[in-house]
C-alpha cells in the first residue's frame, strides 16, 4: 500500500473543483488527478446511456493516470451513471449525492438532539440543484433512504451567475432570495418544512456565504435552516475511505504531492474559471481528447 | 418555380425560432422546416471544424426535407461555418450576422439624414451577444465592412434569464442595466459612441421591450440609441430573397402552408420553451438523430 494515494476526480466541467477544494483541506497529502470533460458538457441534457459512456471513458482515463479512487464530482453523472461506473471500475467509486443525503441526516440528528427531540416532524430537506439533477430525483431517493423528505428545487440561474463571477452580487442575492421563497412555498404545499438546505450542485458552494446572508436578511421568521453542501460531504466520505484503505504507517514521503488537471476542451477557460472554484491558482491544464 | 417556397431554418437550439417568428410575419405563405440541433448544443464552446460539420449535417437534413433556402438562425454557426455551408449547399444560405450589420448601417443612414448629417462621428454600434459570438468578432468584421465601428459586449446571463422566463423581471432589468452601463464605459474608452444597439443573439429579441425600458429609465442622458435585432434583419433579407427567386404570378395555392419542427434532443423541452420564442404554440416536434 502506497503512503500517498492518488485520487481521481471527474466532472463534466470545472464545478467539481469545489470537491477538490474541500478534499485538499481534508486529505492534503494525496496526489490528485482531475478531469473536466468540458468538450462534452452539459451532461444535463443527455441520455443516461450517453452519460454512462462518457463517465466510463473518464474512469478509464483517470485509472490510466494512476487513480486509486474515483470521485464522481458531478451531480448528473452521480445520479445517472454510478451503477455503470461501479460495474466497470477496478477502484472504489464515490458519487456526490449519497454523501450529501447522509450529511443532511447527520445534521438532522444533531439538531434533534439539541432540540431534545421535541420536533419529530423535522424530516424536511430542501435540495437546490440544476434542472437535470432535480428531474432525476436522485436526491429525493437518497434522502428517503435516510428517512428524510426532500423537496428539490431547480435553480437554473445560479450556475451562470457563479460563472459570471457574481458571487456576492446584489443580483445573485435577489435571485437566491426568489428561489428560496418559491421553494419554501412549494415545499410547504407538500407539508415539507425544511430544516436543512442541501446545495446539490458543485457550483453552489461558492454561494454558501451568500445563502447564509440571504437567510439572515430575508428568512429570519422561518425556523432556522442549516446549509450543507455535497462537495464538503463528499470530501468527508473520501477522507474516511482513504483512512480505511490507505492507512499508512509512514507518510513521510520524500516527494511533494502532485496535482494534475486535464480538460477535454479549452484549457484557457478551465484555467481562468477553475482557479476560482479551486480557491487557488491552477498553474497548468493539459488538453486530452476522449473522442466524440 | 413553386408558388410556395420551403424555407429551412437551423439553430443549435430553439433561439432561432425568433427568426422564424419574424419570418412568419413577413413571409406568411411559405412552408417552414425548423431544425434545432439541441443534442449537440452549445455550439459556443466547440471548434470551427466541429461546428461546420454539425451545420452541414443540418443543411443536408433540411435539404432532404425539401428546403429551398437555408437560414442559419444561429450566431455561432453564422460566425464560424457560413463559408463551409455555402461551399456545400445546393440552395441559398443566409446567416444572421451580415443582415444585422447591414440593418445597423441602414439605421445609421436614417439617423444621419434626420440629424442633417451634422454628426459624422456616429459610426458606433454596440453589439450584445454571447461570449462565443463576441470572441469570434464576426459582428465587428461585418460592421467594419459597412463603415461602422462595433463594440461587442458579452452578456452571458441573458440567455439563462430568457430561458427561465424572466422576460420582464426586475432582476433581468437590473442585469441589462449593468451590462449596458459596463458596455458604454468600455466602448467609450475606445472612443466608440454607440447610436445603435444590435441584439446579436437569437434569444435577445424577447428582451427588446425590456431594453427599451432600461434605456428610458437609466440612460436618458445618453444620446438616443435605437435597438435592432439580427432576427428581424435576417427575416427582412429572406423576404427580399424570396421575392427575387420565388416570385410567383399566382400564390393561390389550394393547400395550407406547413410548418414542421425537428429537434435532436428532448422534444418536450423544445416544445415548452420553443413556443415562447415562436410566440405561438408548437403543436408537434419530431425527434431526429443526426449522430454524435
Amino acid at each position: 500500500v502506497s503512503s500517498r494515494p492518488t485520487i481521481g476526480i471527474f466532472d463534466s466541467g470545472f464545478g467539481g473543483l469545489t470537491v477538490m477544494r474541500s478534499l485538499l483541506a481534508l486529505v492534503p497529502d494525496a496526489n490528485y488527478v482531475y478531469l473536466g470533460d468540458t468538450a462534452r458538457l452539459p451532461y444535463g441534457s443527455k441520455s443516461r446511456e450517453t452519460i454512462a459512456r462518457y463517465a466510463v471513458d473518464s474512469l478509464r482515463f483517470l485509472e490510466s493516470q494512476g487513480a486509486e479512487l474515483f470521485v464522481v464530482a458531478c451531480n448528473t453523472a452521480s445520479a445517472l451513471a454510478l451503477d455503470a461506473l461501479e460495474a466497470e471500475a477496478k477502484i472504489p467509486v464515490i458519487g456526490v449525492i449519497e454523501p450529501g443525503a447522509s450529511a443532511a441526516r447527520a445534521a438532522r440528528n444533531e439538531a434533534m438532539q439539541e432540540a431534545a427531540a421535541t420536533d419529530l416532524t423535522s424530516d424536511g430537506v430542501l435540495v437546490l440543484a440544476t434542472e437535470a439533477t432535480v428531474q432525476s430525483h436522485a436526491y429525493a431517493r437518497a434522502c428517503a433512504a435516510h428517512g428524510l423528505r426532500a423537496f428539490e428545487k431547480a435553480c437554473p440561474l445560479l450556475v451562470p451567475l457563479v460563472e459570471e463571477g457574481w458571487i456576492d452580487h446584489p443580483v445573485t442575492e435577489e435571485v437566491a432570495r426568489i428561489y428560496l421563497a418559491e421553494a419554501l412555498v412549494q415545499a410547504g404545499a407538500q407539508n415539507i418544512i425544511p430544516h436543512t438546505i442541501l446545495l446539490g450542485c458543485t457550483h453552489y458552494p461558492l454561494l454558501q456565504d451568500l445563502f447564509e446572508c440571504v437567510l439572515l436578511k430575508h428568512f429570519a421568521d422561518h425556523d432556522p435552516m442549516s446549509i450543507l453542501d455535497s462537495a464538503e460531504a463528499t470530501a468527508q466520505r473520501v477522507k474516511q475511505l482513504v483512512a480505511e484503505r490507505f492507512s499508512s504507517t509512514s507518510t513521510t514521503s520524500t516527494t511533494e504531492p502532485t496535482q494534475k488537471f486535464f480538460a477535454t476542451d479549452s484549457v484557457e477557460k478551465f484555467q481562468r474559471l477553475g482557479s476560482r472554484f479551486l480557491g487557488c491558482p491552477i498553474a497548468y491544464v493539459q488538453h486530452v481528447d476522449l473522442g466524440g
Side-chain angles (χ1 to χ4, degrees), chain A residues 14 31 36 47 53 80 88 109 121 126-127 132 145 166 170 172 178 208 225 237 241 253 273 288-289:
Chain A
F14 36 74
N31 294 324
S47 70
R53 183 160 56 83
L80 300 176
E88 295 284 332
N109 289 352
T121 62
L126 173 57
V127 179
W166 292 14
T172 312
I178 292 170
Q208 170 122 20
M225 291 180 276
R237 178 71 56 93
L241 203 72
S253 178
L273 282 178
V288 59
D289 190 353

Side-chain angles (χ1 to χ4, degrees), chain A residues 149-179:
Chain A
R149 294 201 306 146
F151 182 82
E152 297 160 295
K153 171 72 176 171
C155 305
L157 290 170
L158 296 184
V159 165
L161 283 163
V162 168
E163 296 200 349
E164 184 70 318
W166 292 14
I167 302 299
D168 52 3
H169 194 286
V171 163
T172 312
E173 182 183 327
E174 176 63 5
V175 170
R177 187 194 65 75
I178 292 170
Y179 281 145

Side-chain angles (χ1 to χ4, degrees), chain A residues 172-246:
Chain A
T172 312
E173 182 183 327
E174 176 63 5
V175 170
R177 187 194 65 75
I178 292 170
Y179 281 145
L180 272 183
E182 286 176 0
L184 292 175
V185 169
Q186 292 158 352
Q190 300 180 17
N191 287 318
I192 296 175
I193 313 297
H195 287 245
T196 298
I197 297 174
L198 181 55
L199 304 180
C201 168
T202 51
H203 278 60
Y204 297 177
L206 279 79
L207 300 175
Q208 170 122 20
D209 290 350
L210 182 130
F211 271 109
E212 302 277 8
C213 161
V214 168
L215 285 186
L216 279 174
K217 276 170 77 170
H218 303 285
F219 299 91
D221 293 349
H222 194 279
D223 288 346
M225 291 180 276
S226 59
I227 302 181
L228 299 178
D229 73 76
S230 290
E232 176 66 22
T234 302
Q236 294 282 2
R237 178 71 56 93
V238 172
K239 181 187 179 182
Q240 197 181 331
L241 203 72
V242 166
E244 288 165 18
R245 300 224 177 186
F246 301 90

Side-chain angles (χ1 to χ4, degrees), chain A residues 2 25 27 29 67 96 104 120 173 188 210 219 233 252 262 265 267 276:
Chain A
S2 79
V27 192
D29 57 345
V96 286
L120 287 171
E173 182 183 327
L210 182 130
F219 299 91
T252 55
F262 296 89
D265 200 343
V267 296
R276 197 184 297 154

Side-chain angles (χ1 to χ4, degrees), chain A residues 3 23 26 47 59 67 79 95 101-102 122-123 130 146 148 151 191 201 218 244 247 251-252 257 277 291:
Chain A
S3 65
L23 267 171
L26 292 174
S47 70
L59 167 70
S102 173
S122 64
D123 59 352
T130 63
H146 285 282
L148 301 172
F151 182 82
N191 287 318
C201 168
H218 303 285
E244 288 165 18
S247 60
T251 55
T252 55
F277 286 72

